[in-house]
Amino acid sequence: FEDHKLLFSFLITAQINRNKEHAAYVKKDFLSPSEWNFFLHGLEAAKGVLEEDVDNLPAGPPSFPAIAFKKLQVLEKLMYKEGVPAFEGLTEEMTINDSWRSFAESDSIVKDALPGTREARLTKFQRLLLVKAFREDLLHLAVRRFVGEELGENYTVSPNFDLAGCFQDSHKMTPLIFI
């Protein structure tokens, strides 16, 4: 149930942010179609959008997993094509700055500050995309943090169970159902 609640909260948050008017109304960052497409499809998001074949992208530094570096290259190119400058020069920066390797290998990647000046340049969802590219095994933690920052922590935790309160809210014609 907890996983479903988090998924539902995430989808609500993403849907709000994917609409420019709704995102502006609640004073949140707009989530572009390319960002959402990359979140859903990863490398496959490039097919039919980028002219380059994903398999022919140049290899990254040996310290990074090849698939993670390709994902970041695709992300950078997709965002550049859409006119979103947040990821511009990211892969080049990663080949120069060794602190990116430490960041990518960290088990606390969700909480760690991004190397260089990237922290200030990325939205919360764009940071989530970095976690997806580097460490998909920690994506659920990043999604929990994203929902907590965007909607509030009460959307990421379950309320305490109160049997007495449930009984008082019930009526002989209203059954109590526990899941």
Side-chain angles (χ1 to χ4, degrees), residues 82-97:
E82 194 167 278
V84 178
F87 292 100
E88 192 172 336
L90 175 66
T91 52
E92 183 180 332
E93 182 181 322
M94 290 171 55
T95 59
I96 299 168
N97 188 347

Side-chain angles (χ1 to χ4, degrees), residues 60-130:
S63 57
F64 281 101
I67 191 74
F69 198 78
K70 279 189 180 190
K71 286 180 186 177
L72 292 167
Q73 287 175 313
V74 165
L75 179 60
E76 185 177 358
K77 289 176 186 304
L78 283 172
M79 295 302 107
Y80 180 78
K81 184 170 181 128
E82 194 167 278
V84 178
F87 292 100
E88 192 172 336
L90 175 66
T91 52
E92 183 180 332
E93 182 181 322
M94 290 171 55
T95 59
I96 299 168
N97 188 347
D98 198 41
S99 59
W100 278 102
R101 185 181 58 78
S102 310
F103 175 78
E105 293 173 353
S106 173
D107 286 335
S108 59
I109 191 172
V110 174
K111 298 176 186 173
D112 292 347
L114 295 172
T117 61
R118 291 284 165 182
E119 192 76 42
R121 294 171 56 187
L122 299 180
T123 66
K124 292 173 180 86
F125 192 81
Q126 290 168 343
R127 183 183 167 88
L128 183 69
L129 295 178
L130 282 182

